[in-house]
Amino acid sequence: MAAGTARTNGGNGAAPALLSVDGVTLQYKTRDHLVTATYRVSFQVQRGDRFVLLGPSGCGKSTLLKGVGGFMPPVEGSIALNGRPVERPGPDRMMVFQEFDQLLPWKTVRQNVLFPMLVSGRCARAEANDRAQRYIDKVNLTKFADIYPHMLSGGMKQRVAIARAMAMEPDILLMDEPFAALDALTRRKMQEELLQLWDDVRFTVLFVTHSIEEAIIVGSRILVLTPHPGQVRAELNTDGLGQQGHEGAAFQALHRRIHAMLFAQRVEQEERMRPHA
Amino acid sequence: MPDDKIMPAVRPEFEATPRDAGVIGDAARPLSLWERLSNHTGLRRVAILVALCLAWQLYAQWLNSPLMFPTFKDAMTAWIDATTRGPLIDRTLTSIRVLLIGYGCGIALAAVFTTLAVSTRVGTDLLSTLTAMFNPLPAIALLPLALLWFGLGIPSLVFVIIHSVLWAVALNTHTGFMAVSETLRMAGQNYGLRGIPYVVRILIPAAFPSILAGLKIGWAFAWRTLIAAELVFGVSSRSGGLGWFIFENRNQLETAYVFAGLFTVIIIGLLVESVIFRGIETRTVRRWGMQR
């Protein structure tokens, strides 16, 4: 049901996209090389999408997210949010990072959630307080609101980061492997909580992961990227498989299908190396 | 070969229900008085101080040479006499005033240099070159030049103090800024912070442990330089500071008063370190978990 409602206005793609990434090539410099991270990648995110960028490491998915975040200008192509080109980082696209040190250690949980609302001038003090409390409650951290981040566990820190981003009520939430540094049990729990939050608030999220399983659980639509440099391999619907338990046949089938796409080349190479197999 | 492999014996499986916590008793037990006392940092340090004073007193008594090494008791008597009737408080105030002027100017200049260094590449090169040149140069070595340029008096002292503060503070602050993690920077930019607000609200708090370390080192350098400078030319200056007090009493072979002067230097150092800097530390970097 969830995946269906996510694209009520999708139709034949006639509705204007919230985020449109058009033929984007991103490059970054290392000491000795100019690395092309993505090559002419295009996709469109509709309002309410849980849009997942999936690919093996080195496919430029995080770089792509940084591009959307405005941290990195594309060398080719364009990125537009609500029809306006993205030029610099801004509070209409809140990022949730993988690293636990994204919280400001000199502020309590509540102050961390308040801070972006106040400095960006998004809302007045009273409303900011209100929203902070609401989202801290939503991520189940009510009891920890006045504690400093160093006293929280990894999962709690990520929840604060999510609450902080969501309290801003941004046009789009950008999540860069937010659960990758968590243990498997906590990760599973956080995925479920994120889905519940989405059911509750109906935000739009662009989610980067390298885990096929996580992509199917969290996403409503998955963009599969190939590595070196990242190019679009496929764009798939999950049809709400994530909410229906992870062991079903359809889930496994989609998992296998994506797995085959990502590892096709390698399998071919291995087949050639073992001709009698 | 397969016969050599170790095979653990197959054991039966079992499940257990955890006992009620009441049976186990208190998981947390209050510490005994002695444990709590020995956990108190201030108390431990006072104990060390008392032991040192006691050792001093006993050694000086055994030596029995008030001219070379007065007892702790004599030194304390001299100190009380110098503070209540003598010029010690005046001297101390003079020293502290000069010190604060120099320290303040040094920090302000360090802020300018660090701002230049974080905002431009030339600034970075300038700061690292200047620091590499001047940081190893003892401030006292500049005193003859300072006396030539500014004459006897406060300006010369301020000049050498600035020299001793500036490079230590600038170097530490810059290192601190460079060490702020990329994630934190991006988080700050994500809120739309740029320019001065970005530096003030993200970089400075994030680099605060290094900045504080720089301020501490700068303070110690300034204090040392000041006393040394006063010792060198305090004789001819009109309103001398602590350094001059020490020098004057040595000339008159009032060794107990020399110790009283040194004692004052130490007390002020201890007070600033354990009250002011420690206070700032517990309220900031320790509470934030940036330092243990």
Side-chain angles (χ1 to χ4, degrees):
Chain A
M1 143 240 133
T5 48
R7 272 180 308 283
T8 41
N9 56 3
N12 303 322
L18 173 69
L19 173 75
S20 84
V21 173
D22 192 21
V24 164
T25 301
L26 289 164
Q27 291 178 327
Y28 59 86
K29 279 192 202 119
T30 64
R31 207 181 164 77
D32 307 312
H33 298 279
L34 184 66
V35 180
T36 302
T38 66
Y39 184 71
R40 294 189 179 163
V41 171
S42 302
F43 62 90
Q44 299 206 321
V45 179
Q46 304 279 350
R47 208 170 288 278
D49 262 346
R50 285 168 284 129
F51 201 98
V52 175
L53 304 178
L54 172 67
S57 48
C59 75
K61 53 198 189 306
S62 284
T63 315
L64 202 52
L65 199 72
K66 277 186 194 140
V68 176
F71 295 103
M72 195 179 230
V75 289
E76 185 184 16
S78 67
I79 303 172
L81 185 73
N82 279 324
R84 280 193 310 278
V86 164
E87 277 162 354
R88 59 170 70 99
D92 51 350
R93 287 149 284 138
M94 287 297 286
M95 280 274 246
V96 177
F97 301 91
Q98 176 184 340
E99 293 84 1
F100 296 150
D101 69 346
Q102 62 187 298
L103 301 178
L104 310 179
W106 57 93
K107 290 182 180 292
T108 62
V109 167
R110 187 191 307 280
Q111 289 165 344
N112 257 295
V113 177
L114 279 172
F115 186 63
M117 289 191 270
L118 297 178
V119 295
S120 66
R122 274 237 154 172
C123 36
R125 184 97 213 178
E127 202 209 331
N129 276 328
D130 242 36
R131 277 203 206 177
Q133 188 60 53
R134 197 162 73 239
Y135 282 98
I136 289 172
D137 291 346
K138 268 198 207 304
V139 295
N140 302 320
L141 285 175
T142 317
K143 271 193 281 180
F144 300 92
D146 296 309
I147 271 179
Y148 285 92
H150 71 101
M151 299 160 97
L152 301 174
S153 69
M156 288 157 117
K157 284 182 191 165
Q158 293 310 80
R159 284 204 207 114
V160 178
I162 292 171
R164 173 172 77 177
M166 287 189 48
M168 288 288 282
E169 297 180 357
D171 293 334
I172 187 166
L173 206 58
L174 308 177
M175 299 183 126
D176 188 4
E177 306 197 38
F179 308 144
L182 300 172
D183 62 276
L185 288 175
T186 315
R187 189 182 314 141
R188 176 63 62 86
K189 194 154 171 283
M190 296 287 290
Q191 290 163 352
E192 279 164 18
E193 285 182 10
L194 185 71
L195 286 177
Q196 268 165 24
L197 269 175
W198 182 86
D199 252 351
D200 219 18
V201 189
R202 292 301 156 109
F203 48 88
T204 312
V205 58
L206 185 60
F207 192 104
V208 164
T209 183
H210 61 256
S211 151
I212 301 175
E213 196 188 8
E214 183 165 73
I216 303 176
I217 294 172
V218 167
S220 61
R221 196 165 167 84
I222 302 175
L223 186 78
V224 184
L225 295 163
T226 59
H228 303 299
Q231 297 182 67
V232 174
R233 176 72 176 78
E235 207 176 309
L236 309 166
N237 290 326
T238 64
D239 302 316
L241 280 174
Q243 282 106 319
Q244 299 159 14
H246 316 147
E247 317 308 329
F251 187 97
Q252 294 303 336
L254 185 57
H255 193 294
R256 270 198 301 277
R257 188 172 158 209
I258 298 174
H259 192 273
M261 278 176 194
L262 289 178
F263 294 101
Q265 283 176 318
R266 201 159 83 189
V267 172
E268 274 166 29
Q269 278 168 8
E270 279 167 11
E271 293 289 308
R272 241 176 286 141
M273 283 165 76
R274 301 178 294 155
H276 56 273
Chain B
M1 274 294 275
D3 297 29
D4 291 349
K5 278 185 186 158
I6 297 172
M7 283 296 292
V10 178
R11 284 142 299 172
E13 295 180 344
F14 71 91
E15 287 187 26
T17 37
R19 228 165 290 174
D20 191 51
V23 184
I24 302 168
D26 282 342
R29 167 185 71 88
L31 295 174
S32 72
L33 183 67
W34 171 248
E35 280 170 320
R36 261 180 294 162
L37 285 182
S38 61
N39 267 345
H40 196 285
T41 315
L43 222 57
R44 284 202 313 268
R45 294 194 180 176
V46 167
I48 290 175
L49 277 182
V50 170
L52 284 176
C53 293
L54 207 68
W56 173 2
Q57 174 75 18
L58 290 177
Y59 177 68
Q61 262 176 359
W62 174 78
L63 200 64
N64 194 20
S65 162
L67 189 67
M68 300 303 284
F69 197 73
T71 61
F72 175 67
K73 193 166 143 271
D74 288 349
M76 284 313 291
T77 322
W79 185 69
I80 290 167
D81 178 59
T83 37
T84 49
R85 278 177 294 154
L88 191 54
I89 294 204
D90 263 5
R91 299 276 189 264
T92 310
L93 287 180
T94 312
S95 283
I96 288 182
R97 201 167 47 110
V98 176
L99 184 73
L100 287 182
I101 296 174
Y103 191 54
C105 294
I107 291 172
L109 273 175
V112 172
F113 270 105
T114 323
T115 313
L116 272 179
V118 287
S119 47
T120 63
R121 212 154 64 170
V122 181
T124 316
D125 296 339
L126 182 71
L127 180 66
S128 33
T129 313
L130 287 181
T131 315
M133 279 165 63
F134 290 125
N135 206 19
L137 187 66
I140 280 300
L142 285 179
L143 195 60
L145 260 189
L147 291 177
L148 193 64
W149 290 342
F150 306 107
L152 285 176
I154 292 178
S156 291
L157 284 176
V158 170
F159 175 79
V160 289
I161 292 175
I162 287 177
H163 170 81
S164 66
V165 173
L166 172 58
W167 310 116
V169 176
L171 188 66
N172 269 283
T173 311
H174 187 242
T175 315
F177 280 176
M178 292 293 107
V180 175
S181 80
E182 195 56 36
T183 319
L184 218 49
R185 286 167 194 272
M186 280 166 66
Q189 288 161 6
N190 195 190
Y191 306 159
L193 287 171
R194 256 168 304 165
I196 299 288
Y198 172 68
V199 173
V200 171
R201 311 198 74 157
I202 302 288
L203 286 188
I204 289 182
F208 204 65
S210 300
I211 296 176
L212 199 60
L215 290 178
K216 273 167 135 176
I217 297 172
W219 165 262
F221 278 13
W223 200 209
R224 271 192 226 179
T225 305
L226 174 67
I227 302 296
E230 283 178 350
L231 276 172
V232 171
F233 79 107
V235 204
S236 45
S237 104
R238 202 159 298 159
S239 67
L242 266 174
W244 191 42
F245 179 87
I246 295 169
F247 190 83
E248 196 181 36
N249 281 296
R250 199 218 64 132
N251 275 357
Q252 296 161 7
L253 292 178
E254 295 274 11
T255 316
Y257 285 84
V258 173
F259 272 86
L262 290 175
F263 197 62
T264 316
V265 174
I266 292 172
I267 295 239
I268 291 173
L270 272 182
L271 271 183
V272 170
E273 165 67 33
S274 63
V275 177
I276 299 181
F277 281 120
R278 190 162 292 268
I280 296 176
E281 256 176 30
T282 37
R283 270 176 196 78
T284 56
V285 288
R286 272 165 206 255
R287 178 193 283 190
W288 305 337
M290 289 168 142
Q291 191 183 315
R292 300 198 329 129

Short mmCIF file of all heavy atoms in Angstrom, two decimals, chain A residues 105-138:
data_model
loop_
_atom_site.label_atom_id
_atom_site.label_comp_id
_atom_site.label_asym_id
_atom_site.label_seq_id
_atom_site.Cartn_x
_atom_site.Cartn_y
_atom_site.Cartn_z
N PRO A 105 29.28 17.98 19.16
CA PRO A 105 29.49 17.42 20.50
C PRO A 105 29.26 18.44 21.61
O PRO A 105 29.08 18.04 22.76
CB PRO A 105 30.95 16.95 20.48
CG PRO A 105 31.56 17.55 19.29
CD PRO A 105 30.49 17.95 18.34
N TRP A 106 29.29 19.74 21.28
CA TRP A 106 29.12 20.74 22.33
C TRP A 106 27.66 21.12 22.55
O TRP A 106 27.36 22.06 23.25
CB TRP A 106 29.96 21.98 22.02
CG TRP A 106 29.65 22.63 20.71
CD1 TRP A 106 28.76 23.64 20.49
CD2 TRP A 106 30.22 22.31 19.44
NE1 TRP A 106 28.74 23.96 19.16
CE2 TRP A 106 29.63 23.17 18.49
CE3 TRP A 106 31.18 21.39 19.00
CZ2 TRP A 106 29.97 23.13 17.14
CZ3 TRP A 106 31.50 21.35 17.67
CH2 TRP A 106 30.90 22.21 16.75
N LYS A 107 26.75 20.39 21.92
CA LYS A 107 25.33 20.65 22.13
C LYS A 107 24.63 19.38 22.57
O LYS A 107 25.00 18.29 22.16
CB LYS A 107 24.71 21.17 20.84
CG LYS A 107 25.19 22.57 20.49
CD LYS A 107 24.55 23.09 19.25
CE LYS A 107 25.04 24.47 18.93
NZ LYS A 107 24.60 25.49 19.90
N THR A 108 23.60 19.53 23.41
CA THR A 108 22.82 18.38 23.82
C THR A 108 21.97 17.91 22.65
O THR A 108 21.92 18.55 21.60
CB THR A 108 21.88 18.74 24.98
OG1 THR A 108 20.96 19.72 24.52
CG2 THR A 108 22.64 19.28 26.17
N VAL A 109 21.31 16.77 22.85
CA VAL A 109 20.45 16.23 21.80
C VAL A 109 19.45 17.28 21.34
O VAL A 109 19.31 17.56 20.15
CB VAL A 109 19.72 14.97 22.32
CG1 VAL A 109 18.60 14.57 21.38
CG2 VAL A 109 20.71 13.83 22.51
N ARG A 110 18.79 17.92 22.32
CA ARG A 110 17.77 18.91 21.96
C ARG A 110 18.39 20.09 21.22
O ARG A 110 17.88 20.53 20.19
CB ARG A 110 17.06 19.40 23.23
CG ARG A 110 15.87 20.30 22.97
CD ARG A 110 15.38 20.95 24.24
NE ARG A 110 15.13 20.01 25.31
CZ ARG A 110 14.01 19.28 25.41
NH1 ARG A 110 13.06 19.42 24.52
NH2 ARG A 110 13.86 18.43 26.39
N GLN A 111 19.54 20.58 21.74
CA GLN A 111 20.18 21.72 21.08
C GLN A 111 20.65 21.36 19.68
O GLN A 111 20.60 22.18 18.77
CB GLN A 111 21.38 22.19 21.91
CG GLN A 111 20.97 22.89 23.20
CD GLN A 111 22.12 23.02 24.16
OE1 GLN A 111 23.16 22.36 24.02
NE2 GLN A 111 21.96 23.86 25.16
N ASN A 112 21.08 20.11 19.50
CA ASN A 112 21.48 19.66 18.18
C ASN A 112 20.32 19.70 17.21
O ASN A 112 20.48 20.07 16.05
CB ASN A 112 22.03 18.23 18.25
CG ASN A 112 23.53 18.19 18.19
OD1 ASN A 112 24.12 18.54 17.18
ND2 ASN A 112 24.15 17.79 19.28
N VAL A 113 19.14 19.29 17.69
CA VAL A 113 17.96 19.30 16.82
C VAL A 113 17.51 20.73 16.55
O VAL A 113 17.10 21.08 15.44
CB VAL A 113 16.82 18.46 17.45
CG1 VAL A 113 15.57 18.51 16.59
CG2 VAL A 113 17.27 17.02 17.64
N LEU A 114 17.65 21.59 17.58
CA LEU A 114 17.21 22.99 17.43
C LEU A 114 18.13 23.79 16.51
O LEU A 114 17.67 24.65 15.76
CB LEU A 114 17.21 23.67 18.81
CG LEU A 114 16.01 23.43 19.70
CD1 LEU A 114 16.27 24.00 21.08
CD2 LEU A 114 14.78 24.08 19.10
N PHE A 115 19.41 23.53 16.62
CA PHE A 115 20.43 24.38 16.01
C PHE A 115 20.17 24.72 14.53
O PHE A 115 20.11 25.91 14.18
CB PHE A 115 21.81 23.74 16.20
CG PHE A 115 22.96 24.57 15.74
CD1 PHE A 115 23.23 25.79 16.34
CD2 PHE A 115 23.77 24.15 14.70
CE1 PHE A 115 24.30 26.57 15.92
CE2 PHE A 115 24.83 24.91 14.28
CZ PHE A 115 25.09 26.13 14.88
N PRO A 116 19.98 23.72 13.66
CA PRO A 116 19.76 24.08 12.25
C PRO A 116 18.50 24.91 12.04
O PRO A 116 18.49 25.80 11.19
CB PRO A 116 19.67 22.74 11.53
CG PRO A 116 19.50 21.73 12.57
CD PRO A 116 20.04 22.28 13.84
N MET A 117 17.44 24.65 12.82
CA MET A 117 16.21 25.42 12.65
C MET A 117 16.45 26.88 12.99
O MET A 117 15.93 27.77 12.34
CB MET A 117 15.10 24.85 13.56
CG MET A 117 14.59 23.52 13.11
SD MET A 117 13.11 23.05 14.01
CE MET A 117 13.77 22.17 15.40
N LEU A 118 17.27 27.12 14.04
CA LEU A 118 17.49 28.49 14.48
C LEU A 118 18.48 29.22 13.57
O LEU A 118 18.22 30.36 13.17
CB LEU A 118 18.00 28.50 15.94
CG LEU A 118 17.00 27.92 16.94
CD1 LEU A 118 17.59 27.92 18.34
CD2 LEU A 118 15.69 28.71 16.91
N VAL A 119 19.59 28.58 13.21
CA VAL A 119 20.57 29.31 12.40
C VAL A 119 20.10 29.54 10.97
O VAL A 119 20.50 30.50 10.33
CB VAL A 119 21.97 28.64 12.35
CG1 VAL A 119 22.60 28.64 13.71
CG2 VAL A 119 21.91 27.26 11.76
N SER A 120 19.24 28.65 10.47
CA SER A 120 18.77 28.85 9.10
C SER A 120 17.57 29.79 9.08
O SER A 120 17.08 30.15 8.01
CB SER A 120 18.40 27.52 8.46
OG SER A 120 17.28 26.98 9.13
N GLY A 121 17.09 30.16 10.28
CA GLY A 121 15.94 31.06 10.35
C GLY A 121 14.67 30.43 9.83
O GLY A 121 13.76 31.12 9.38
N ARG A 122 14.59 29.09 9.87
CA ARG A 122 13.42 28.42 9.33
C ARG A 122 12.18 28.67 10.18
O ARG A 122 11.09 28.81 9.66
CB ARG A 122 13.67 26.91 9.27
CG ARG A 122 14.35 26.51 8.00
CD ARG A 122 13.56 25.49 7.26
NE ARG A 122 13.87 25.59 5.84
CZ ARG A 122 13.45 24.72 4.95
NH1 ARG A 122 12.72 23.70 5.31
NH2 ARG A 122 13.74 24.88 3.68
N CYS A 123 12.40 28.66 11.51
CA CYS A 123 11.24 28.95 12.34
C CYS A 123 11.66 29.69 13.61
O CYS A 123 12.83 29.67 14.00
CB CYS A 123 10.47 27.68 12.68
SG CYS A 123 11.46 26.24 12.92
N ALA A 124 10.70 30.30 14.24
CA ALA A 124 10.94 31.07 15.46
C ALA A 124 11.21 30.10 16.60
O ALA A 124 10.93 28.91 16.52
CB ALA A 124 9.75 31.95 15.76
N ARG A 125 11.75 30.68 17.69
CA ARG A 125 12.17 29.88 18.83
C ARG A 125 11.07 28.93 19.34
O ARG A 125 11.31 27.75 19.54
CB ARG A 125 12.59 30.84 19.95
CG ARG A 125 13.14 30.17 21.16
CD ARG A 125 14.64 30.17 21.12
NE ARG A 125 15.13 28.96 21.76
CZ ARG A 125 16.42 28.65 21.86
NH1 ARG A 125 17.32 29.42 21.31
NH2 ARG A 125 16.80 27.54 22.45
N ALA A 126 9.88 29.47 19.54
CA ALA A 126 8.81 28.67 20.13
C ALA A 126 8.45 27.50 19.22
O ALA A 126 8.34 26.36 19.68
CB ALA A 126 7.58 29.54 20.38
N GLU A 127 8.32 27.78 17.94
CA GLU A 127 7.94 26.71 17.03
C GLU A 127 9.07 25.69 16.93
O GLU A 127 8.82 24.48 16.86
CB GLU A 127 7.62 27.28 15.64
CG GLU A 127 6.73 26.36 14.83
CD GLU A 127 6.94 26.50 13.34
OE1 GLU A 127 7.32 27.60 12.90
OE2 GLU A 127 6.75 25.51 12.62
N ALA A 128 10.31 26.18 16.93
CA ALA A 128 11.46 25.28 16.86
C ALA A 128 11.46 24.33 18.06
O ALA A 128 11.67 23.12 17.90
CB ALA A 128 12.75 26.09 16.81
N ASN A 129 11.21 24.89 19.26
CA ASN A 129 11.14 24.06 20.46
C ASN A 129 10.10 22.97 20.31
O ASN A 129 10.33 21.80 20.63
CB ASN A 129 10.78 24.92 21.67
CG ASN A 129 12.01 25.57 22.26
OD1 ASN A 129 13.09 25.00 22.21
ND2 ASN A 129 11.84 26.76 22.79
N ASP A 130 8.96 23.37 19.80
CA ASP A 130 7.84 22.45 19.57
C ASP A 130 8.23 21.30 18.67
O ASP A 130 8.05 20.13 18.98
CB ASP A 130 6.74 23.25 18.87
CG ASP A 130 5.50 23.30 19.72
OD1 ASP A 130 5.67 23.38 20.95
OD2 ASP A 130 4.40 23.25 19.13
N ARG A 131 8.78 21.70 17.52
CA ARG A 131 9.15 20.70 16.52
C ARG A 131 10.23 19.78 17.05
O ARG A 131 10.17 18.57 16.85
CB ARG A 131 9.73 21.42 15.29
CG ARG A 131 8.70 21.92 14.33
CD ARG A 131 9.40 22.06 13.00
NE ARG A 131 8.79 23.04 12.15
CZ ARG A 131 9.27 23.37 10.95
NH1 ARG A 131 10.40 22.81 10.55
NH2 ARG A 131 8.67 24.24 10.21
N ALA A 132 11.23 20.36 17.74
CA ALA A 132 12.32 19.55 18.27
C ALA A 132 11.75 18.48 19.19
O ALA A 132 12.07 17.29 19.05
CB ALA A 132 13.31 20.43 19.02
N GLN A 133 10.86 18.90 20.09
CA GLN A 133 10.28 17.94 21.03
C GLN A 133 9.51 16.86 20.27
O GLN A 133 9.63 15.68 20.56
CB GLN A 133 9.33 18.68 21.99
CG GLN A 133 8.83 17.82 23.13
CD GLN A 133 9.98 17.29 23.98
OE1 GLN A 133 10.82 18.06 24.45
NE2 GLN A 133 10.06 15.98 24.17
N ARG A 134 8.77 17.27 19.24
CA ARG A 134 7.94 16.32 18.51
C ARG A 134 8.81 15.25 17.84
O ARG A 134 8.54 14.06 17.93
CB ARG A 134 7.10 17.08 17.47
CG ARG A 134 5.94 16.27 16.95
CD ARG A 134 4.88 17.13 16.27
NE ARG A 134 5.29 17.64 14.97
CZ ARG A 134 5.35 18.93 14.67
NH1 ARG A 134 5.07 19.84 15.58
NH2 ARG A 134 5.70 19.31 13.46
N TYR A 135 9.89 15.72 17.19
CA TYR A 135 10.71 14.74 16.45
C TYR A 135 11.59 13.92 17.37
O TYR A 135 11.89 12.76 17.08
CB TYR A 135 11.51 15.43 15.35
CG TYR A 135 10.64 15.73 14.15
CD1 TYR A 135 10.07 16.98 13.96
CD2 TYR A 135 10.33 14.73 13.23
CE1 TYR A 135 9.24 17.25 12.89
CE2 TYR A 135 9.51 14.98 12.15
CZ TYR A 135 8.96 16.24 11.98
OH TYR A 135 8.13 16.48 10.92
N ILE A 136 12.01 14.50 18.49
CA ILE A 136 12.76 13.71 19.47
C ILE A 136 11.86 12.60 20.01
O ILE A 136 12.28 11.45 20.17
CB ILE A 136 13.30 14.61 20.61
CG1 ILE A 136 14.42 15.50 20.09
CG2 ILE A 136 13.82 13.76 21.76
CD1 ILE A 136 14.88 16.55 21.06
N ASP A 137 10.59 12.92 20.25
CA ASP A 137 9.62 11.90 20.68
C ASP A 137 9.48 10.83 19.60
O ASP A 137 9.43 9.64 19.88
CB ASP A 137 8.25 12.53 20.95
CG ASP A 137 8.28 13.42 22.19
OD1 ASP A 137 9.26 13.31 22.95
OD2 ASP A 137 7.34 14.20 22.38
N LYS A 138 9.40 11.29 18.37
CA LYS A 138 9.17 10.36 17.26
C LYS A 138 10.28 9.32 17.12
O LYS A 138 10.03 8.19 16.73
CB LYS A 138 9.04 11.13 15.94
CG LYS A 138 7.61 11.51 15.60
CD LYS A 138 7.51 11.86 14.14
CE LYS A 138 6.39 12.83 13.85
NZ LYS A 138 5.08 12.36 14.32
#
